[in-house]
Amino acid sequence: MMAEENKTEAEAAVASSDAASAPMATPEAPQGKKEGRGGNRGGNNDGKGRGRGRRNDRKPREEEGDELIEKLVHINRVSKTVKGGKRFGFAALVVVGDGQGRAGFGHGKAREVPEAINKATAAAKKKMIRVPLKEGRTLHHDGNGRFGAGKVTLRSAPAGTGIIAGGPMRAVFESLGVADVVTKSVGTSNPYNMIRATFDALDNQTSPKSVAQRRGKKIADLLGRGSDGASKAEVQAEADAVTE
């Protein structure tokens, strides 16, 4: 009897040791719920989740307006002497255009160069003018402009001539979209006066279409007077080619 009792106690001890060494079963998580931080994000299928995937559903913001060509013409630095030292300021002159007959200029002042350029660009976009172009590459006729001591002369040119202009005037024609033009500036080299004189000449530009509408005539009648030996078909074709 004693031997059987000792055998029973030994078996019970072995069974208890095996149970203690066995790994504990982890309780299963309930269905429909996710553990961890933000587990409920994106759980709904109705598209109203608060997860990061919501940004992908947004449409890209459309750019306002057409792309403009910006040309920085001149930056002027000024300084003011105060008790603690010197304070510097900057003035920027910027020309903008769409390359299709519209251009404008503006200037801005600020303590920093980027801010001055932004002010000048915003001012230039508000003062853009429309200039009629012949065949989309040159001016319809010659013109003169003046502002202060600055005088400029603009002349139309045949295809392949290029932009014959220097300094600030080149920036105006590049942003305007003119490919062939001959210019001359006399009187001053001040970029502000040169730009203003150039825009004064461009503002006086006219096209055969506008002149014909003002005079109540056809474009072919205006073009036919100055063409020597040109047939009516050639004059009519040239008139049809005038778009603005």
Side-chain angles (χ1 to χ4, degrees):
M1 295 295 292
M2 295 295 293
E4 292 179 357
E5 291 179 358
N6 294 335
K7 183 178 180 181
T8 303
E9 293 178 358
E11 292 176 355
V14 171
S16 61
S17 62
D18 293 341
S21 61
M24 297 180 63
T26 57
E28 296 181 358
Q31 297 293 333
K33 295 183 179 181
K34 297 182 179 180
E35 296 181 356
R37 183 177 181 182
N40 293 332
R41 294 184 179 180
N44 299 331
N45 296 328
D46 55 356
K48 298 181 180 180
R50 299 176 60 185
R52 295 182 179 179
R54 185 179 178 185
R55 295 184 179 180
N56 297 333
D57 299 335
R58 298 179 181 178
K59 296 181 180 180
R61 184 177 60 182
E62 297 180 358
E63 297 182 358
E64 298 180 358
D66 299 334
E67 295 183 358
L68 298 178
I69 303 172
E70 301 179 3
K71 298 286 186 179
L72 179 61
V73 178
H74 182 70
I75 290 182
N76 185 31
R77 190 187 76 169
V78 296
S79 63
K80 179 182 179 181
T81 303
V82 294
K83 183 177 180 180
K86 291 185 178 181
R87 292 183 180 179
F88 294 98
F90 300 91
L93 177 62
V94 176
V95 175
V96 300
D98 61 354
Q100 299 178 358
R102 294 179 65 242
F105 75 98
H107 60 91
K109 300 178 181 180
R111 296 290 184 182
E112 302 294 336
V113 174
E115 187 177 356
I117 294 175
N118 292 337
K119 288 183 178 180
T121 304
K125 292 179 180 179
K126 295 180 180 179
K127 298 187 297 182
M128 297 182 68
I129 63 173
R130 168 70 68 177
V131 180
L133 300 180
K134 180 180 180 181
E135 300 176 359
R137 61 172 184 81
T138 187
L139 304 176
H140 281 284
H141 58 84
D142 301 346
N144 297 321
R146 180 172 182 175
F147 185 87
K151 300 178 183 178
V152 298
T153 301
L154 311 181
R155 303 191 66 179
S156 59
T161 304
I163 301 177
I164 301 179
M169 298 179 65
R170 173 175 289 273
V172 174
F173 292 109
E174 288 179 353
S175 61
L176 188 63
V178 175
D180 304 297
V181 67
V182 178
T183 65
K184 180 64 177 179
S185 174
V186 296
T188 183
S189 60
N190 188 329
Y192 288 87
N193 289 345
M194 292 177 64
I195 290 292
R196 289 187 174 95
T198 303
F199 273 89
D200 179 59
L202 293 175
D203 199 19
N204 296 327
Q205 285 286 317
T206 57
S207 65
K209 184 177 181 180
S210 61
V211 174
Q213 291 177 352
R214 185 171 64 250
R215 298 179 60 185
K217 296 181 177 294
K218 296 181 180 181
I219 300 178
D221 297 339
L222 299 179
L223 299 178
R225 291 184 177 181
S227 58
D228 298 334
S231 61
K232 294 182 179 180
E234 295 176 354
V235 173
Q236 186 63 34
E238 186 178 356
D240 295 340
V242 177
T243 58
E244 60 179 353

